[in-house]
């Protein structure tokens, strides 16, 4: 065989080997491409449906990666870096993926900032490979329930004191039936406890009505000068007993709009507290003036004052800065809570300044009513 024929045969063999290698490589690539699973797609229309749900929605794929999450879910904190948190939710997703059964659970979240959040989660299969998580924020409901339990416990505790005292005093009167002086003394104390009990029950009723957050059917235009005069008259007897001067200064023709009885209760509570916690022969100042579009009703005293750590809590129901002193004066711990709710229901607010030993200043801020009084009452 000559040289040219050998080169020709070698070239043909090389071309055949190259073609075979190329075919095998392409065949391998095709098979490898066929084994790669495409990412599961969210069903058409699912995004639109989930966006209108009241619950926060999250869709999780087989690798536990979040494919889609609503904005509230991210804000709530159950999605972080394309992962579902906390671990309790992730465990529910895996259980649902295994058996396809819908599951529900109450989960507590610890946000990076703020207090613990309570979430009700419902986990269900969306497709054969995707799982949907619907989460509803129950934090406010848990808070309301906690407040309700505390309220019931506090009411029960507060009612026990005067009721127990009345029971003991009734027994004392029965035993002292032959001692007229003792009977008079015990009956006087019974009357005091009865008045305290009546006041407590009435304040509980008032506070319950205020917390309904509904507009009062008795709302109308109220003259501020009459409101202040009535509130001061309410505490006149106690002020005289302690030789406390209650000085008033009210800008004329001030009007506010609201439930007269509720507003009277709010201002009366402020004046009564000022007289109660002021030393004898001191002075309480009650002023009312127009500040911009608001009426400011201010009650200032020179009493014992309130420590700074208690200022944020004095408007809580049944909270007392000095429980022993409050009980000795007949305080229920509901007065300032009523003031706060009356202010809120009337579209206003209440402000406080206080220093221990210097006294306290409470300001009830209410929107001024500028309409003509005759037009409203006609």
């Amino acid at each position: 065989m000559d040289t040219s024929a050998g080169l020709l045969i070698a070239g043909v063999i090389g071309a055949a080997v190259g073609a075979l290698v190329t075919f095998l490589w392409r065949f391998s690539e095709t098979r490898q491409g066929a084994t790669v699973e495409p990412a599961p797609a969210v069903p058409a229309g699912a995004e639109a449906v989930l966006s209108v749900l009241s619950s926060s929605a999250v869709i999780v794929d087989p690798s536990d990666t979040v494919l889609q999450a609503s904005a509230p879910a991210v804000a709530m904190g159950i999605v972080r870096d394309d992962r579902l948190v906390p671990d309790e939710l992730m465990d529910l997703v895996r259980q649902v993926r295994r058996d396809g059964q819908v599951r529900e659970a109450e989960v507590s979240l610890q946000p990076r900032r703020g207090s613990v959040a309570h979430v009700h989660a419902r986990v269900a299969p969306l497709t054969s490979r995707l799982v949907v998580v619907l989460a509803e924020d129950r934090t406010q409901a848990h808070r309301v329930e906690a407040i309700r339990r505390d309220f019931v416990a506090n009411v029960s505790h507060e009612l026990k004191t005067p009721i127990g005292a009345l029971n003991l005093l009734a027994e004392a009167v029965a035993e002292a039936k032959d001692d007229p002086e003792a009977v008079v003394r015990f009956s006087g104390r019974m009357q005091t406890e009865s008045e305290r009990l009546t006041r407590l029950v009435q304040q509980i009723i008032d506070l319950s009505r205020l917390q309904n957050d509904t507009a009062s059917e008795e709302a109308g235009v109220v003259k501020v000068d009459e409101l202040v005069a009535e509130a001061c008259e309410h505490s006149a007897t106690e002020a005289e007993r302690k030789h406390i001067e209650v000085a008033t200064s009210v800008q004329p023709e001030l009007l506010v709009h609201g439930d007269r009885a509720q507003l009277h209760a709010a201002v009366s509570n402020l004046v009564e507290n000022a007289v109660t916690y002021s030393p004898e022969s001191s002075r309480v100042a009650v002023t009312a003036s127009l500040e911009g579009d608001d009426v400011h009703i201010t009650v200032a005293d020179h009493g014992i004052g309130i420590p700074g750590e208690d200022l944020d809590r004095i408007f809580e129901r049944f909270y007392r800065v000095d429980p022993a002193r409050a009980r000795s004066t007949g305080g229920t711990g509901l007065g300032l809570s009523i003031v706060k709710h009356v202010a809120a229901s009337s579209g206003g607010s209440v402000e406080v300044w206080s220093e221990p030993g210097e006294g306290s200043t409470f300001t009830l801020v209410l929107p001024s009513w500028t309409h003509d009084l005759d037009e409203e009452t006609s």
Side-chain angles (χ1 to χ4, degrees):
M1 182 182 295
D2 59 6
T3 303
S4 60
L7 291 174
L8 178 61
I9 293 172
V12 171
I13 293 173
V17 171
L20 179 62
V21 170
T22 301
F23 171 80
L24 292 176
W25 178 80
R26 288 182 177 178
F27 179 77
S28 176
E29 285 290 305
T30 301
R31 292 198 60 185
Q32 289 181 6
T35 59
V36 176
E37 295 185 0
V42 177
E47 182 177 357
V49 173
L50 296 179
S51 65
V52 299
L53 292 176
S54 59
S55 303
S56 301
V58 179
I59 297 177
V60 184
D61 71 4
S63 64
D64 294 340
T65 300
V66 173
L67 289 182
Q68 185 175 328
S70 62
V74 178
M76 190 185 298
I78 64 174
V79 174
R80 192 177 302 161
D81 299 329
D82 294 330
R83 307 296 293 181
L84 193 65
V85 291
D87 293 339
E88 293 95 319
L89 275 182
M90 201 64 256
D91 291 340
L92 285 178
V93 170
R94 290 165 183 157
Q95 293 173 29
V96 170
R97 187 183 293 125
R98 281 198 302 268
D99 56 25
Q101 297 296 316
V102 178
R103 286 179 170 80
E104 298 184 28
E106 295 286 336
V107 180
S108 296
L109 301 176
Q110 181 62 58
R112 295 174 180 176
R113 295 181 182 178
S115 58
V116 175
H118 301 276
V119 175
H120 177 79
R122 181 178 176 86
V123 184
L126 183 62
T127 67
S128 60
R129 303 177 63 194
L130 300 180
V131 175
V132 62
V133 179
L134 301 178
E136 183 178 352
D137 191 350
R138 295 282 183 86
T139 305
Q140 183 63 25
H142 276 257
R143 186 177 296 114
V144 170
E145 178 61 20
I147 291 174
R148 186 194 65 80
R149 288 196 302 268
D150 291 344
F151 182 74
V152 172
N154 284 327
V155 167
S156 301
H157 175 75
E158 294 296 332
L159 289 175
K160 283 181 180 178
T161 302
I163 291 174
L166 285 171
N167 186 43
L168 292 175
L169 288 169
E171 294 178 0
V173 169
E175 294 175 358
K177 59 183 178 180
D178 297 327
D179 186 349
E181 292 184 0
V183 170
V184 171
R185 184 172 67 254
F186 290 140
S187 62
R189 291 178 58 187
M190 289 179 68
Q191 185 177 4
T192 299
E193 292 298 331
S194 177
E195 291 173 352
R196 178 182 177 184
L197 180 60
T198 301
R199 183 183 177 198
L200 174 59
V201 171
Q202 185 58 52
Q203 287 191 330
I204 292 172
I205 294 172
D206 292 342
L207 192 57
S208 298
R209 289 174 177 171
L210 288 167
Q211 289 178 323
N212 288 333
D213 293 328
T214 57
S216 172
E217 297 179 357
E218 305 297 327
V221 179
V222 180
K223 293 181 178 180
V224 176
D225 56 352
E226 294 180 356
L227 192 65
V228 171
E230 292 169 1
C232 293
E233 180 65 25
H234 178 78
S235 298
T237 301
E238 180 66 11
E240 289 178 6
R241 188 186 69 81
K242 297 178 67 175
H243 306 288
I244 293 176
E245 177 191 1
V246 179
T248 62
S249 175
V250 180
Q251 185 176 328
E253 300 182 357
L254 291 180
L255 303 174
V256 294
H257 190 270
D259 186 308
R260 185 184 185 87
Q262 293 179 3
L263 292 171
H264 170 76
V267 180
S268 294
N269 273 311
L270 292 180
V271 176
E272 183 177 353
N273 282 352
V275 172
T276 299
Y277 295 104
S278 291
E280 294 188 4
S281 303
S282 60
R283 185 174 186 269
V284 171
V286 184
T287 63
S289 60
L290 184 64
E291 305 287 342
D293 295 329
D294 297 321
V295 172
H296 287 219
I297 302 175
T298 302
V299 180
D301 64 60
H302 300 283
I304 58 176
I306 304 169
E309 61 270 19
D310 293 308
L311 283 177
D312 292 336
R313 301 194 60 191
I314 58 175
F315 294 103
E316 295 179 12
R317 293 167 298 182
F318 298 107
Y319 184 79
R320 298 181 176 94
V321 176
D322 186 348
R325 180 181 175 90
R327 287 193 173 90
S328 67
T329 58
T332 63
L334 291 174
L336 289 179
S337 183
I338 290 175
V339 173
K340 179 181 178 181
H341 280 85
V342 170
S345 64
S346 303
S349 61
V350 60
E351 302 170 355
V352 59
W353 171 91
S354 188
E355 286 289 341
E358 297 291 331
S360 304
T361 299
F362 287 85
T363 302
L364 182 62
V365 182
L366 302 170
S368 174
W369 186 261
T370 57
H371 289 63
D372 184 73
L373 181 61
D374 294 332
E375 292 179 2
E376 292 297 323
T377 57
S378 61

